[in-house]
Amino acid sequence: MFERAKIRLFVEHPLGEGQTIPLAKDQAHYLFGVMRRDQGDRVALFNGRDGEWTAEIVEAGKRAGTLSCLGQAAPQLDPPDLWLLFAPIKKQRTDFIVEKAAEMGASRIVPVLTEFTNSERVRVDRLQAHAVEAAEQCGGTFVPEVAEPVKLDRLLDAWDGSRHLMFCDETRAGAASALSGERDRPWAILIGPEGGFSETERKRLAALDAAAPVSLGPRILRADTAAVAAMTLWQSALGDW
Amino acid sequence: MFERAKIRLFVEHPLGEGQTIPLAKDQAHYLFGVMRRDQGDRVALFNGRDGEWTAEIVEAGKRAGTLSCLGQAAPQLDPPDLWLLFAPIKKQRTDFIVEKAAEMGASRIVPVLTEFTNSERVRVDRLQAHAVEAAEQCGGTFVPEVAEPVKLDRLLDAWDGSRHLMFCDETRAGAASALSGERDRPWAILIGPEGGFSETERKRLAALDAAAPVSLGPRILRADTAAVAAMTLWQSALGDW
């Protein structure tokens, strides 16, 4: 395995022995303009499929560039089949939730609109860019997909019963128990909005066979804190930690 | 117990049957100017010692006001004896760490300067204000103290061996084991800077009897993510969750 380079870039292009990778305009600007890298310097590349590869810069231009794969530096590490479902909140905290979900190893990020969700329009492309940046930063080789926002009712109507749903219900005490022995099943974590779930939503979630309500302690956590806390409980009990 | 009021304010004043509480200028502005509350409205008060009290507004002025305690709405809930030690990072993320530490139930927050810490001057008064705001927000009855920044070496020179130290060492795998059966002892969680600990610091921490290195999974977490994740592991294993 090659030594891992400090700067990491996500690319769509296939990675492998002798592959040549053209750089997009913004990546060329970042790599050559901002980070001042040049021909001969090494960069880490990943595309979510082929692990991490160490590549050498063969062409460095203002608006374009070319990299050449030297060798693999890390194997592909896909996260467990864990979705993070969250009700969008203020812009900055929504950005944080997406960043944290990528760092914590969620495989899919789904903005969910609940009765008490009040937030500006969700810009999926911006959130996806945050997920990419977080994956580049945290050394992961996978970028979770940010899905289009969906209404909670719609989501539950179409719920696949084989996917467990961990939802953070403030009325419930005792976390660990709800999270035992389902390692081989797909999971989703649902974080409610600042106002919590409505009574109707709470009942519907509780009635769901696949649902596992968990408590996140005696204090009421903000949505972004709750997202990290819930993913931590899941990862340490059932995930890749 | 009285029904809990939505708006919560931290005050220094003693709380109890028949107590009258004068409001500071900024709190009067927030309560009457921003939140538009007036005489007869109810507010939740806590001072970190007497639990949460429901109080009624008896005087509402532009720069001052008076509240009168009606009855206790929640008992005092002190957090476990858990310190969060963290290396200050960018302003916004440092603010987040302090907010999260208060939400997650840390009893004391200590900015620690390590070899690889690079950050602007730490403004303890601003961070303390963030801790108060987070406690008001999360329904807690306790506000962790934000201590003056201290050099890691100094901190370890004076370390009380009876306080366990959980530090997040990326070289170490397997979290849970390190956190068993010390429920009755005081603990501290140490989050390293973006650049990680230096080799010297790592060796010194590893040599410490009270130290329990833990892993936070295969991805490298940002300091603010690591703080929430580490406190979650601790709270669910040894704390008040």
Side-chain angles (χ1 to χ4, degrees), chain A residues 152-219:
Chain A
L152 181 59
D153 276 342
R154 287 258 184 75
L155 185 79
L156 295 182
D157 289 342
W159 195 259
D160 163 10
S162 72
R163 180 174 298 274
H164 262 312
L165 179 64
M166 164 180 173
F167 76 97
C168 306
D169 183 345
E170 287 140 33
T171 65
R172 178 79 165 239
S177 60
L179 281 179
S180 51
E182 300 287 352
R183 187 176 284 276
D184 48 358
R185 280 178 66 172
W187 274 82
I189 291 173
L190 172 58
I191 303 296
E194 303 281 298
F197 297 107
S198 74
E199 207 38 54
T200 324
E201 290 170 335
R202 201 179 294 273
K203 285 206 181 90
R204 184 162 184 197
L205 285 164
L208 207 66
D209 281 344
V214 303
S215 155
L216 297 176
R219 289 156 297 270

Side-chain angles (χ1 to χ4, degrees), chain A residues 64-87:
Chain A
T66 314
L67 303 174
S68 168
C69 279
L70 299 175
Q72 194 175 39
Q76 177 62 30
L77 175 68
D78 290 330
D81 186 356
L82 174 67
W83 296 356
L84 180 71
L85 320 174
F86 74 98

Side-chain angles (χ1 to χ4, degrees), chain B residues 11-227:
Chain B
V11 294
E12 301 286 352
H13 201 280
L15 300 172
E17 212 60 57
Q19 284 278 6
T20 303
I21 294 92
L23 277 187
K25 184 181 172 184
D26 56 340
Q27 290 181 317
H29 171 72
Y30 168 75
L31 199 54
F32 310 133
V34 180
M35 302 306 290
R36 301 260 170 245
R37 290 302 192 274
D38 209 338
Q39 277 186 25
D41 291 338
R42 291 181 173 190
V43 183
L45 302 178
F46 65 103
N47 59 8
R49 305 181 303 275
D50 303 323
E52 177 180 311
W53 284 73
T54 301
E56 186 176 75
I57 300 171
V58 289
E59 288 175 289
K62 265 215 163 62
R63 284 172 192 69
T66 313
L67 304 175
S68 169
C69 279
L70 298 176
Q72 194 175 38
Q76 177 63 29
L77 176 68
D78 289 331
D81 186 356
L82 174 67
W83 295 356
L84 180 72
L85 319 175
F86 75 99
I89 41 179
K90 285 202 227 79
K91 181 174 165 302
Q92 183 204 49
R93 289 183 188 272
T94 297
D95 294 349
F96 263 76
I97 289 179
V98 169
E99 173 189 294
K100 299 324 178 199
E103 281 179 53
M104 297 292 299
S107 61
R108 193 151 180 271
I109 302 170
V110 186
V112 173
L113 309 173
T114 69
E115 283 185 46
F116 297 160
T117 305
N118 45 2
S119 75
E120 320 97 75
R121 190 170 135 276
V122 177
R123 281 199 45 199
V124 173
D125 57 342
R126 242 192 66 255
L127 295 182
Q128 186 65 68
H130 277 292
V132 168
E133 198 185 325
E136 290 174 339
Q137 163 93 24
C138 75
T141 52
F142 179 87
V143 177
E145 179 212 9
V146 179
E148 287 295 329
V150 55
K151 285 215 167 97
L152 180 58
D153 276 341
R154 286 257 186 75
L155 185 79
L156 295 182
D157 289 341
W159 195 260
D160 164 10
S162 71
R163 181 174 297 273
H164 262 314
L165 179 64
M166 165 181 173
F167 77 97
C168 305
D169 183 346
E170 287 140 32
T171 65
R172 179 77 165 241
S177 60
L179 281 179
S180 51
E182 299 287 353
R183 187 176 285 277
D184 49 356
R185 278 179 67 172
W187 275 81
I189 292 173
L190 172 58
I191 303 297
E194 304 280 300
F197 296 107
S198 74
E199 213 27 64
T200 325
E201 290 169 336
R202 202 180 295 273
K203 285 208 181 89
R204 183 161 186 199
L205 285 164
L208 206 66
D209 281 344
V214 302
S215 155
L216 297 176
R219 289 156 297 271
I220 298 156
L221 303 183
R222 283 180 181 273
D224 53 343
T225 317

Side-chain angles (χ1 to χ4, degrees), chain A residues 77 79 92-93 96 99-100 102-105 133 137-138 140 194 215-222 224-225 228-229 232-233 235-236 240-241, chain B residues 77 79 92-93 96 99-100 102-105 133 137-138 140 194 215-222 224-225 228-229 232-233 235-236 240-241:
Chain A
L77 175 68
Q92 184 204 47
R93 289 184 188 271
F96 262 76
E99 173 189 295
K100 297 325 177 198
E103 281 179 53
M104 296 292 299
E133 198 185 326
Q137 163 92 25
C138 75
E194 303 281 298
S215 155
L216 297 176
R219 289 156 297 270
I220 299 156
L221 303 183
R222 283 180 183 272
D224 53 343
T225 317
V228 177
T232 301
L233 290 178
Q235 284 286 24
S236 58
D240 64 10
W241 282 26
Chain B
L77 176 68
Q92 183 204 49
R93 289 183 188 272
F96 263 76
E99 173 189 294
K100 299 324 178 199
E103 281 179 53
M104 297 292 299
E133 198 185 325
Q137 163 93 24
C138 75
E194 304 280 300
S215 155
L216 297 176
R219 289 156 297 271
I220 298 156
L221 303 183
R222 283 180 181 273
D224 53 343
T225 317
V228 178
T232 300
L233 290 178
Q235 284 286 24
S236 58
D240 64 10
W241 282 27

